[in-house]
Amino acid sequence: MTEQGPARVHLTPAKGATRGSLLLTHGAGGGVDATDLAAIAATLPAHGWQVALVEMPWRVAGKKVAPMPPKLDAAWREIVAQVRDDLAERVIFGGRSAGARVACRLAVELGADGVLALSFPLVPQGKGADTSRIGELVLPVEAGLPVQVVQGARDPFGSPDAVREALRGALGDEAHDVRVDAAPGTHSFTGGQAIADLVAASLVEV
């Protein structure tokens, strides 16, 4: 329960020894049934990772439009506090689109051990580079956390190359520490298994 209403957490336990937990949430236009999130929840447990998919309060309430970032962040703080004891010692925050932004903004504050950003919305459609959200993406990097970005090859909010370029502009040589993977599709990936495989490959190195 949060001040904005109930949230819902779907836990899939790791198989065998638990290496860590992935705490992931959805974007502003969908839920935890998104193909990439569902594939991650089906695939990563076999690699020793517990997966917790979080439905934010606005989504549980049946609303079609997500609230502004301050409310998303407030709900995430409450959710993390309530589920932390059910997660492994090592926790990766993440999500898709707006959910990735929440994870980036709060990873350091709430003690995450890394960030997984799926379809990070670098620049709003139709807007210029002055509206870039690269400042959010670099927050965990600057704190020394491992960050993986999985971006659709034709994402109108920012291609993989656009994300890499923005990271270089913001971080210089430190940009090489961020793993940016290209995936089939646009902001909505084409299929989910390719995304889950990229995440599994990255977490092997964590």
Side-chain angles (χ1 to χ4, degrees), residues 181-205:
D181 289 308
T186 58
H187 200 60
S188 298
F189 299 123
T190 303
Q193 191 58 51
I195 312 306
D197 291 343
L198 287 169
V199 174
S202 176
L203 290 180
V204 165
E205 304 171 4

Side-chain angles (χ1 to χ4, degrees), residues 121-127 151-159 185-188:
L122 182 65
V123 177
Q125 283 186 277
K127 302 293 185 179
Q151 207 76 355
R154 296 176 286 108
D155 192 328
F157 292 89
S159 67
T186 58
H187 200 60
S188 298

Side-chain angles (χ1 to χ4, degrees), residues 107-176:
V108 177
E109 175 188 329
L110 300 181
D113 296 288
V115 170
L116 170 62
L118 305 168
S119 293
F120 186 83
L122 182 65
V123 177
Q125 283 186 277
K127 302 293 185 179
D130 59 323
T131 63
S132 173
R133 294 157 175 153
I134 191 62
E136 295 177 348
L137 185 58
V138 302
L139 286 173
V141 183
E142 291 174 332
L145 299 181
V147 174
Q148 180 185 15
V149 182
V150 182
Q151 207 76 355
R154 296 176 286 108
D155 192 328
F157 292 89
S159 67
D161 283 343
V163 172
R164 294 186 187 104
E165 182 179 354
L167 286 168
R168 284 193 296 269
L171 297 170
D173 291 342
E174 284 187 69
H176 297 297

